[in-house]
Amino acid sequence: MCLGIPGRIVKIDDAAKRLATVDVGGVKRQVNIACVVDDTHPVENCVGDWVLIHVGFAMSRIDEQEAAETLKILSELGEAQAEIEAMRLSEAEMGRAAS
Amino acid sequence: MKYIDEYRDRDKAAVLVKEIEALVAEIPLAKERPINIMEVCGGHTHSIFRYGIEGMLPKEVELVHGPGCPVCVLPMGRVDDCVAIAERPGVIFTTFGDAMRVPGSKKSLMQAKADGADIRMVYSPMDALEIARKDPDREVVFFGLGFETTMPSTALTVLQAEREGITNFSVFCNHITIVPTLKAILESPDLNLDAFIGPGHVSMVIGTAPYEFIANFYKKPMVVSGFEPLDVLQSVWMVLKQIKEGRADIENQYARVVPDEGNKAALDAVDKVYELRDFFEWRGLGSIDHSGVKLREACAHFDAERKFALPNLQVADPAACQCGAVLKGVIKPWQCPLFGTACTPETPLGALMVSSEGSCSAYYQYGGVKAQAGAA
C-alpha cells in the first residue's frame, strides 16, 4: 500500500478522466494520472513517462536526472573507496620499502 | 526492473557500509552510546528487515522503527466500526488487503467475511468506485486508510464519484497525517532519538518544508529516503554526516521521486475533500491532536461516518500489549512479554504484529540479527 512501484505510461485511455495504461514489469493496468499532469506537462505528453504508482494512482513522475544523480553519488563513493584503498595499499608498500 | 535493480547493488552496499563505519568512528557520541535513528515509515521498516540492513550497520548505529504503518496504528474501536458497517444488509465493504487481519475487539474483517459479510479486497479506491458503478442497488463503502501517500487517491476517487453523480459510494475515512505524529514523538518525555529517516512517499505528496520544525526547533537531522537498500544506507550515511558535522538539516535523498515542494495536484485534491479532525486515536500511542482527517461538509454525502450510525466506541488495547513503547523506541519488540508467544503474525494481539510493515511482525519473520544477539 505504501511502497508503490515504478511503471511506464504506454497509452492515454481517457484524457478527460485522466486515465492511462501503465506497464509495470510487463503487466499492464489502467491507472489515474491526475497527479502527474499539470499545465507544463499536459496529458498528451505523458506517454513514455516513468511514474511511481500507488493504489492505482500515478503519484510522482520519476526524475531521470535525479535518479542518475543518486546513482552517480553512489558510484563516486565506490570510486573514493577504491582510491582510499589504493592509497592504503601504496602506503603499506612505501612503509615496507622504507623499513 | 528499471529504478529498482540499480538500487540493490551488493558491491555498492558494501562500499556504503564501509563509509558509514568510517563516519561513525569520527563521531565522539558513538563511543558513549548507540546513535538512535528512527525510520518513521513502515515501508522503510519493511525494507530494513527484508534486506537485513540492521545486520550490515555497525553496532554504534541503532534503527528505531517508528509509527509509520497505518494498519498498525489503527485502534480496535475503528476495526469494530468497520465490522459494524460491513455487517449491515446491502453493504459491500471494500478494503486494502493489509487491513483484513487487524484484530477488533470481537473480530477482524477476515472473520467478519467468514461469518458472511460482503467484504472485498481491492487494490485501489477506483476499484471500489467501479463496484459501486456496477451495482447501484448496493451501498459500497471504501475503507480509506493511510498517511498522505494514499490520502490523495481516496480524495480523487471521491471527486470522481461527485462528477459522475454516484450516490451509493462512501468512504470510511481513517486517513492520518504525519506531522502531528512526529511532534507527539518529539514531545514524548522518554524520547531518545538522535535523528530521523523521513518517509519517502508521504514527502512525495507534502514535500520537505513541513519537516523544517524538526531541524529548526528540535535540532534533529532528517533525511527523506527512498525504499531500496542503497537508498536507506545512503540516508543513514547522510544522517551520520550531519551528526558528525554538528548540523540539523532536512535533506532529500529521494529527489528522483520527491520534489521539495510536494505534489500540487495531490495537495489540491486533499484540501478539497478533507479537513483536520480535532484529534484521532492511535493504537499504542493514544489520542493525538489534529492527527487525522475527515471528509469536509461539502463531501458529507460520501462520508460513511455520517451515512451509517456507528458504534464509535473507544476500546482499550490489551493490557499486556507494549505496542506504544515499541512504537516510540523505548523498548525493542522482543522485550515485550507477548512477543512470539501469545502474539504472532498468525494470531496477532498487538497491531505491530499485524502488517508486514509492523516492526514486531518484521522482527518475527525476518529475525533481526541484533534482536537475537540482544536476547541472548
Side-chain angles (χ1 to χ4, degrees), chain B residues 251-267:
Chain B
E251 294 180 323
N252 184 2
Q253 181 274 339
Y254 200 29
R256 66 182 184 276
V257 164
V258 176
D260 284 332
E261 65 281 9
N263 186 313
K264 191 174 176 303
L267 288 172

Side-chain angles (χ1 to χ4, degrees), chain A residues 65-86:
Chain A
Q65 208 177 331
E66 290 286 0
E69 191 64 25
T70 305
L71 286 174
K72 188 166 153 257
I73 293 168
L74 287 167
S75 304
E76 280 169 0
L77 277 175
E79 279 162 24
Q81 191 76 34
E83 202 145 309
I84 290 164
E85 198 59 28

